[in-house]
């Protein structure tokens, strides 16, 4: 069972706010931000930096056409090719999306070429099926315990079950969980039980953020955690800069 250190999490929220305000002040003209101190997930710098995840799902829905899928036509629908096409959906102006890295894509492409039919069936189970546990377990047998790949496919399931699943990049999120005071074992191994707890943690964070911000969903909670390390780095740098400024004033 996970635990969240209330004091450390609150510190993380403050660091996040300071960092977002700083970035909005820096990009005020480019993003046409009237009030840099107003923080919203669907506007301003956060939308510019992280809003691609929501837009990604809209573009993926157009590519996948999952309403036309059924268990008997998966090869005709070129399901694995459609998934590959989703890899190339850009992060708006930032280039290729970072949901899967280069090695994940090569690994998947190789499996798709070796066993396209089985791959398509597993993808269908994940995105269109209702037995999430069985789909996750079947996916680990096919892909191996590749957390980022399997969670990427579950993230696509949000097209059907909106704001339910989030993506996992274990190393990055483990570091940021620690920054935010989140103690959990769910990032250590790609199992259904761990992934379910990971999504539960993100839902918990979503609910906590709703007391601070408007219009927050589970994908926004993921973005908040994803940015925790850069927010902390900014806080450290900013404090150091203020310290040097005070020393200079004393010396004068």
């Amino acid at each position: 069972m996970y635990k969240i250190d209330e004091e450390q999490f609150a510190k993380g929220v403050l660091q996040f706010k300071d960092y977002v305000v700083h970035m909005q002040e820096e990009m005020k003209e480019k993003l046409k931000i009237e009030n840099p101190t107003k923080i919203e997930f669907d506007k301003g710098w956060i939308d510019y930096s992280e809003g691609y995840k929501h837009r990604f799902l809209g573009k993926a829905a157009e590519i996948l056409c999952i309403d036309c899928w059924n268990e008997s036509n998966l090869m005709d629908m070129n399901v694995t090719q459609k998934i590959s096409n989703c890899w190339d959906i850009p992060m708006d102006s930032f280039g290729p999306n970072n949901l899967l890295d280069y090695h994940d894509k090569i690994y998947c492409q190789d499996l798709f070429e070796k066993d396209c039919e089985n791959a398509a069936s597993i993808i269908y189970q994940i995105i269109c099926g209702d037995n999430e546990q069985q789909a996750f377990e079947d996916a680990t047998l096919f892909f191996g315990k590749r957390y980022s790949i399997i969670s990427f496919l579950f993230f696509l399931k949000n097209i059907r079950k909106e704001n339910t699943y989030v993506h996992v990049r274990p190393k990055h999120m483990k570091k940021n969980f620690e920054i935010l005071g989140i103690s959990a074992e769910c990032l250590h191994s790609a199992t259904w039980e761990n992934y379910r707890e990971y999504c539960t943690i993100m839902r918990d964070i979503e609910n906590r953020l709703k007391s601070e911000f408007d219009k927050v969903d589970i994908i926004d909670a993921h973005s908040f955690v994803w940015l925790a390390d850069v927010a902390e780095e900014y806080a450290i740098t900013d404090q150091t800069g203020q310290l040097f400024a005070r020393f200079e004033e004393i010396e004068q």
Side-chain angles (χ1 to χ4, degrees):
M1 183 62 183
Y2 72 93
K3 293 181 180 179
I4 298 181
D5 183 297
E6 302 291 342
E7 185 175 344
Q8 198 166 338
F9 185 85
K11 178 182 176 183
V13 172
L14 289 175
Q15 290 179 164
F16 175 79
K17 288 180 176 179
D18 287 346
Y19 179 65
V20 173
V21 169
H22 164 73
M23 293 306 298
Q24 294 194 151
E25 288 173 342
E26 289 281 309
M27 303 185 72
K28 180 178 178 180
E29 298 301 323
K30 179 177 180 178
L31 301 181
K32 295 179 172 59
I33 299 172
E34 294 182 3
N35 181 6
T37 63
K38 186 174 183 180
I39 300 174
E40 298 176 279
F41 278 88
D42 62 345
K43 294 182 179 67
W45 181 81
I46 304 178
D47 181 61
Y48 172 77
S49 174
E50 294 291 312
Y52 74 90
K53 296 172 188 174
H54 291 90
R55 291 184 281 276
F56 172 91
L57 289 173
K59 293 173 183 176
E62 294 175 3
I63 291 171
L64 295 174
C65 301
I66 60 174
D67 290 340
C68 299
W69 295 10
N70 62 62
E71 291 186 84
S72 64
N73 75 351
L74 299 179
M75 299 304 291
D76 293 335
M77 291 298 297
N78 295 317
V79 166
T80 55
Q81 183 58 54
K82 283 180 165 61
I83 292 295
S84 298
N85 291 344
C86 289
W87 299 340
D88 298 324
I89 296 173
M91 292 169 55
D92 298 334
S93 59
F94 294 98
N97 72 73
N98 61 359
L99 297 172
L100 286 181
D101 66 21
Y102 172 79
H103 300 289
D104 287 332
K105 294 174 184 178
I106 295 299
Y107 180 83
C108 278
Q109 196 61 54
D110 185 52
L111 288 177
F112 289 173
E113 291 175 2
K114 288 179 180 177
D115 195 349
C116 183
E117 189 171 353
N118 196 21
S121 177
I122 290 169
I123 292 166
Y124 176 81
Q125 287 181 53
I126 291 174
I127 297 177
C128 299
D130 293 319
N131 189 338
E132 286 91 350
Q133 179 173 354
Q134 187 62 56
F136 195 102
E137 291 172 356
D138 289 346
T140 60
L141 292 175
F142 184 78
F143 293 105
K145 291 194 173 183
R146 305 283 288 241
Y147 227 152
S148 55
I149 294 172
I150 298 171
S151 63
F152 171 78
L153 295 173
F154 270 87
F155 182 64
L156 291 173
K157 192 179 179 75
N158 285 327
I159 296 168
R160 288 186 62 242
K161 289 190 172 184
E162 186 178 2
N163 299 336
T164 303
Y165 300 99
V166 279
H167 184 246
V168 183
R169 294 293 289 270
K171 290 183 180 179
H172 186 85
M173 297 310 262
K174 182 177 184 295
K175 174 180 66 174
N176 286 14
F177 270 19
E178 291 172 356
I179 290 171
L180 295 169
I182 302 170
S183 302
E185 302 296 323
C186 60
L187 294 171
H188 294 174
S189 179
T191 67
W192 170 246
E193 291 75 15
N194 282 345
Y195 183 59
R196 185 172 57 181
E197 179 172 90
Y198 175 78
C199 292
T200 298
I201 293 171
M202 290 297 175
R203 184 69 72 192
D204 187 343
I205 293 170
E206 172 195 349
N207 291 330
R208 291 166 183 261
L209 294 179
K210 282 179 177 176
S211 65
E212 302 282 343
F213 311 99
D214 295 329
K215 298 179 182 178
V216 180
D217 63 24
I218 195 171
I219 298 173
D220 298 325
H222 181 277
S223 294
F224 165 77
V225 177
W226 185 263
L227 293 168
D229 58 337
V230 292
E232 182 183 57
E233 288 170 12
Y234 169 72
I236 293 170
T237 303
D238 188 49
Q239 288 166 7
T240 303
Q242 291 178 17
L243 186 61
F244 284 149
R246 285 197 294 272
F247 281 152
E248 288 176 358
E249 288 176 3
I250 292 171
E251 289 175 357
Q252 291 174 357

